Amino acid sequence: MDGIYRSRVALALVSMGVFAALWQAIVWIGGYPGFILPSPLAVALRWGELLANGTLWWHMRVTLTEILIGLGLGTVIATLLGYVIAHSPLAEQLLSPFIVASQSVPTVAIAPLLVIWFGSGILSKILVCALIVFFPILVNTVVGVRGVGEELRDLMRTLEASRWQMVWMLEVPAALPTLLGGLKVGATLAVIGAVVGEFVAADQGLGYLLKQGQQVYDTAQVFVGIGTLVILAQALYGTVAVAERRLLRWRQTESK
């Protein structure tokens, strides 16, 4: 396992080195000025500067707070509502038009309304994050719960399992792989939601840092913001992936 991990890390480092070399070659060959396409070294220096003076840490902390709270809120609401829909055709008929309608409108169009209603503070950004992660987690919850075999439900009823035993001992373990798949998608989408909210109205956060760099043609700062968002998204996705491996370890044991 350690060998596989080391090979993946080595491959990632090699690919990053190749990417940086190609980037630098494009800058040299094209002769682009720094405000159009800064070199990797210029971006690295700007990154170090923003880290050293604490600016990047501050904005990253704000954005990460919005992401985590929004992801948690959206996950809880989507999971509970998805469970209800999975068991109630009437609830599905009543709620589906509204759920689909909420997803047919781009989040960037809804974000200004949330800012008007809830202000330009952190609450509106949290709601944007929750809204953007809601649909994939909801759909995966419905699919996961409905995917539980009817023969397993009959077995639980034969054993006179209570409603809560049915949920925690059958439905949750059986639906967990699908639920975690939706959570991995939601974790990356939450980063997009936070940035969209900060683009609309904010005076802090990585979205604000990106917008500030764009306004003063500090393209290196824009690249720093983009790179930090990529790191956050990768970290969140990786955290869910690690949790998935640990929570579903029983499946690997059964397959052996």
Side-chain angles (χ1 to χ4, degrees):
M1 191 69 180
D2 290 339
I4 296 175
Y5 176 76
R6 291 194 191 98
S7 64
R8 288 179 177 176
V9 172
L11 183 61
L13 291 175
V14 170
S15 63
M16 290 172 61
V18 172
F19 175 76
L22 290 174
W23 179 359
Q24 183 64 62
I26 292 173
V27 173
W28 279 341
I29 295 172
Y32 297 107
F35 70 92
I36 296 294
L37 182 62
S39 67
L41 179 59
V43 174
L45 292 174
R46 184 65 172 136
W47 209 320
E49 179 184 342
L50 291 173
L51 284 172
N53 62 26
T55 300
L56 185 60
W57 293 113
W58 166 256
H59 290 294
M60 184 170 63
R61 183 185 67 81
V62 172
T63 300
L64 186 59
T65 301
E66 297 166 355
I67 291 170
L68 293 178
I69 299 177
L71 178 61
L73 179 63
T75 299
V76 170
I77 296 175
T79 302
L80 293 176
L81 189 58
Y83 185 84
V84 172
I85 291 175
H87 283 282
S88 174
L90 177 60
E92 181 177 16
Q93 293 175 5
L94 291 174
L95 297 175
S96 288
F98 298 100
I99 294 171
V100 174
S102 69
Q103 297 303 307
S104 63
V105 180
T107 307
V108 70
I110 299 177
L113 288 176
L114 295 177
V115 171
I116 292 172
W117 293 337
F118 299 100
S120 60
I122 191 172
L123 179 57
S124 59
K125 286 52 169 199
I126 290 172
L127 293 176
V128 173
C129 288
L131 181 64
I132 202 171
V133 307
F134 174 79
F135 189 71
I137 296 178
L138 173 75
V139 171
N140 279 43
T141 301
V142 174
V143 172
V145 173
R146 286 182 176 174
V148 179
E150 194 60 34
E151 67 280 1
L152 295 176
R153 297 184 188 275
D154 292 337
L155 177 61
M156 294 293 288
R157 295 188 190 101
T158 302
L159 297 174
E160 297 182 352
S162 66
R163 184 60 186 165
W164 283 110
Q165 288 175 323
M166 184 82 77
V167 172
W168 292 112
M169 299 177 68
L170 174 61
E171 292 180 330
V172 170
L176 197 57
T178 309
L179 296 178
L180 290 171
L183 187 58
K184 284 196 288 189
V185 175
T188 55
L189 290 177
V191 178
I192 299 174
V195 175
V196 168
E198 290 168 353
F199 270 174
V200 174
D203 57 1
Q204 55 186 350
L206 292 174
Y208 170 76
L209 194 69
L210 283 168
K211 197 172 181 179
Q212 183 186 55
Q214 179 244 335
Q215 290 173 343
V216 298
Y217 290 93
D218 188 349
T219 312
Q221 180 172 303
V222 175
F223 273 92
V224 170
I226 293 172
T228 306
L229 288 171
V230 170
I231 292 172
L232 286 181
Q234 292 280 1
L236 290 170
Y237 184 91
T239 301
V240 179
V242 170
E244 181 182 38
R245 284 197 296 269
R246 293 185 177 180
L247 291 172
L248 301 181
R249 192 174 296 167
W250 56 272
R251 297 183 70 197
Q252 299 173 357
T253 304
E254 286 183 349
S255 62
K256 292 181 181 180

